């Protein structure tokens, strides 16, 4: 049986640019890059977009290892 793990990616634009968070933890190295680039980086780590919750919130999943 396949098992998956999930994360929530949140994109928060502000007057200084864009900030990204995964499960409320900031991702400073991803700030101010495009959403497409961010999703591609996460995709290289095995994450895939499972759902778009709203304009700035995305649910990603990957197969659980082990």
């Amino acid at each position: 049986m396949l098992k998956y793990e999930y994360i929530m990616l949140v994109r928060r634009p502000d007057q200084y640019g864009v900030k990204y968070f995964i499960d409320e933890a900031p991702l400073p190295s991803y700030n101010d890059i495009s959403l497409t680039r961010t999703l591609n980086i996460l995709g290289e780590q095995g994450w895939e977009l499972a759902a778009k919750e709203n304009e700035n919130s995305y649910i990603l999943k990957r197969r659980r290892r082990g």
Side-chain angles (χ1 to χ4, degrees):
M1 174 182 224
L2 292 178
K3 294 184 180 183
Y4 294 93
E5 58 183 326
Y6 296 86
I7 58 172
M8 173 75 71
L9 174 68
V10 176
R11 180 179 180 270
R12 293 188 185 148
D14 64 19
Q15 69 265 22
Y16 303 109
V18 176
K19 294 183 175 23
Y20 290 94
F21 299 81
I22 287 185
D23 295 336
E24 301 299 320
L27 293 170
S29 61
Y30 289 45
N31 290 348
D32 298 323
I33 62 175
S34 71
L35 176 61
T36 302
R37 178 72 181 124
T38 300
L39 290 172
N40 283 331
I41 291 168
L42 292 169
E44 290 170 4
Q45 298 171 17
W47 294 102
E48 69 177 271
L49 183 61
K52 180 179 177 183
E53 188 169 81
N54 60 46
E55 184 178 322
N56 290 309
S57 297
Y58 307 86
I59 299 170
L60 291 92
K61 73 175 186 176
R62 73 176 171 190
R63 190 172 174 184
R64 183 179 286 171
R65 298 178 181 146

